[in-house]
Amino acid sequence: MSAAITGFSSSHSAANERRLVAVESLWKAMLNLRRNAPPVTVWADVMSDDEFARLHTRPDLLDNDLMSNIEGEITQLMSASANVEEHRPFCGELPWALFFIYRAIHGRLLFLIGEGFKRGVIVPWRRDHGMQQLLSSVLNSEEMSEVMRGQFGRWYSCLQLLEAKFLREVESVISGKHASDASLQEATRIVAAVQSVARNVQQQRS
């Protein structure tokens, strides 16, 4: 009995350590996404929607090298968090899905800027159907209203909301609680939203 208890305790401790490493790695990846986003994304926070739509008319605010390689910037930003894939089995499906959305909206914002720069009109991120689809998969109606309300500081507030949701969710992971079926279903729905937006982008380009 003593040996069995000791073995169980050791196994539980090792599993908990893996969970801690997993959620810490995801959190660091989220911070890296925010910190390493190209400077052009700042304008999504300090401009009104109408000003942002005319960003392409302000060459003094744009880095031409960045604009000419916006897809490379998206790939580089996504690659910066690729090494967290190995931690997915230990972080829980819902925290992973929240991270997945957080990464997706960064990429979507850069995509909107790049496409708008090419076409001569930039769709403000809050008016973009794809972005709304991504955000509505993780934010409730009240939170969506908060993001859509007001002119300035909305992008950063949106990131803060998602980060807070992630941190609340990982509390149960850190405590060792198992994910519920409801959490798994929600995670599946969130990932499906990202995949749907990605498919629409591919269809638009083909």
Side-chain angles (χ1 to χ4, degrees), residues 107-119:
R108 183 69 182 177
L109 177 61
L110 289 178
F111 171 79
L112 291 174
I113 294 172
E115 287 295 296
F117 189 77
K118 293 176 185 176
R119 298 177 181 179

Side-chain angles (χ1 to χ4, degrees), residues 90-197:
F90 305 98
C91 67
E93 282 302 295
L94 191 48
W96 174 262
L98 290 169
F99 163 76
F100 203 59
I101 282 286
Y102 192 83
R103 183 169 60 180
I105 66 170
H106 278 84
R108 183 69 182 177
L109 177 61
L110 289 178
F111 171 79
L112 291 174
I113 294 172
E115 287 295 296
F117 189 77
K118 293 176 185 176
R119 298 177 181 179
V121 57
I122 299 176
V123 178
W125 65 274
R126 293 191 298 180
R127 298 178 187 172
D128 173 61
H129 176 71
M131 187 71 84
Q132 291 176 1
Q133 185 178 345
L134 292 172
L135 292 176
S136 63
S137 70
V138 292
L139 301 180
N140 60 39
S141 58
E142 183 178 345
E143 291 165 336
M144 282 294 291
S145 296
E146 175 63 25
V147 169
M148 297 300 167
R149 187 167 54 244
Q151 286 291 318
F152 307 105
R154 295 297 88 196
W155 177 248
Y156 183 75
S157 294
C158 177
L159 298 183
Q160 290 286 297
L161 272 174
L162 293 178
E163 289 171 10
K165 278 183 173 290
F166 174 84
L167 291 174
R168 284 197 299 270
E169 186 58 35
V170 299
E171 286 181 4
S172 62
V173 176
I174 292 173
S175 67
K177 295 178 181 178
H178 296 292
S180 65
D181 290 341
S183 293
L184 184 57
Q185 291 172 2
E186 184 175 357
T188 302
R189 178 179 57 78
I190 292 170
V191 172
V194 177
Q195 294 171 340
S196 175
V197 172

Side-chain angles (χ1 to χ4, degrees), residues 12-58:
H12 181 75
S13 178
N16 192 52
E17 184 175 347
R18 290 300 300 267
R19 285 193 291 267
L20 290 174
V21 170
V23 297
E24 182 181 18
S25 297
L26 254 66
W27 175 243
K28 287 181 177 178
M30 291 175 74
L31 293 180
N32 284 336
L33 283 168
R34 175 153 53 86
R35 292 168 180 165
N36 296 324
V40 69
T41 59
V42 172
W43 303 121
D45 216 34
V46 300
M47 286 183 166
S48 67
D49 289 344
D50 291 336
E51 290 171 334
F52 188 75
R54 298 191 298 272
L55 181 60
H56 63 285
T57 66
R58 297 290 306 274

